[in-house]
Every structure is written in C-alpha cells, then in structure tokens.
Amino acid sequence: MIQRKQTLFLFFAIVAIVVCLFFPIATLESDSLGLGGRLFNLGVKDLNGNLEFVSWPLCLILTLSAIVDLVNIFLFNNRTLQIKLCIGSNILVLVWYVYFISFTQGLIGDLKGEYHLAFASCLPLIAVILTVMAKKSIEADEALVKAADRIR
C-alpha cells in the first residue's frame, strides 16, 4: 500500500538522493594553480561554470539508487523482494561513497590541493539511514503477516 510508513521513508530517501544530484558535493582548491572548483555528481565545474572533469559514474550510481527506491515503493505486494531491493539500494550508495572518495583523492593528487565536503555529500548517508528504516518496517510487516497466517 502506498500509505505505509516505509513508503514515506523510501520517498524521503529518493528526495535526498535527487537533491544530492543537483547540489555540489565538494569544493576543490588547487595549491599549484591557485584555482578552485566545485565537484558535482556529473563533474567538476570551475569558478566560471565550465565543466572541467567528468565524473558520470557518480551521477549514474545515485540515479540507479533512486530508481531502485522508486520501484521499491510500488512493489508493496512482494515484501521479500522489497527487502532485497533495500539492501541493493544501500550497496549502490556505499559504492557511490567508495568511488567518490577515490575520485576526489585522485583528483586532489593530480592538482596538489585539498577539498572540503559540502552538505550534499551527507545526503546519500541520510538516504541509507532512511532505507534501513524502511527495510526494518518491511520486515515488521512481513512478520505481522506470518503471525496472522499462523493464527488462521
């Protein structure tokens, strides 16, 4: 059903992921060039707004995670599949963090500079927490249905 609490958790996880897709996730500062830029999920934009480096896997991974969560909302009849999709969505976000860290470390190593995380880089973690809460609610629903089946 659409009005269950896990639907709200999944919806807010989707919102957090979509917001992360459109806001900068880090600010880059280069010591050698004196230039800076902002890291988005799609790439690095310099101060003039030009796209310098492309990081499309970051965008792709988060988009897939949002799509999995959206599909998960409408699979309310199959709770075991919903649980597996919650786990899959969380794995995608963890892969995003691994790629994000390796991409920024490699980029900063090339530019000989440093980076500062922005608020949007925390939003996928919030999405993971919301997806875990949805998974727990789905498991509770499944236990309730099994208990009702035993009573019959």
Side-chain angles (χ1 to χ4, degrees), residues 27-46:
T27 304
L28 306 170
E29 296 176 6
S30 174
D31 293 338
S32 62
L33 300 175
L35 300 174
R38 293 181 300 178
L39 174 63
F40 288 85
N41 281 295
L42 197 54
V44 178
K45 289 187 178 181
D46 62 5

Side-chain angles (χ1 to χ4, degrees), residues 90-117:
N90 285 343
I91 289 172
L92 282 172
V93 173
L94 294 177
V95 167
W96 180 85
Y97 272 112
V98 168
Y99 186 79
F100 170 64
I101 291 170
S102 65
F103 180 77
T104 52
Q105 292 299 322
L107 190 63
I108 293 304
D110 291 342
L111 296 177
K112 296 180 178 63
E114 60 183 30
Y115 69 95
H116 305 284
L117 295 177

Side-chain angles (χ1 to χ4, degrees), residues 54-91:
V54 177
S55 62
W56 61 267
L58 287 173
C59 185
L60 179 69
I61 292 169
L62 274 188
T63 304
L64 285 175
S65 179
I67 290 171
V68 167
D69 284 342
L70 184 65
V71 168
N72 203 355
I73 289 175
F74 295 104
L75 292 176
F76 53 85
N77 288 333
N78 194 347
R79 285 176 292 280
T80 55
L81 181 60
Q82 273 189 313
I83 292 169
K84 291 175 185 175
L85 286 177
C86 284
I87 294 169
S89 176
N90 285 343
I91 289 172

Side-chain angles (χ1 to χ4, degrees), residues 4-7 9-10 72 79 82-87 90 128-144:
R4 298 181 309 166
K5 63 182 175 180
Q6 53 264 36
T7 302
F9 293 146
L10 290 171
N72 203 355
R79 285 176 292 280
Q82 273 189 313
I83 292 169
K84 291 175 185 175
L85 286 177
C86 284
I87 294 169
N90 285 343
V128 166
I129 293 168
L130 289 168
T131 307
V132 167
M133 291 170 62
K135 179 181 166 283
K136 294 293 183 190
S137 297
I138 294 166
E139 289 171 344
D141 278 358
E142 183 67 18
L144 186 65

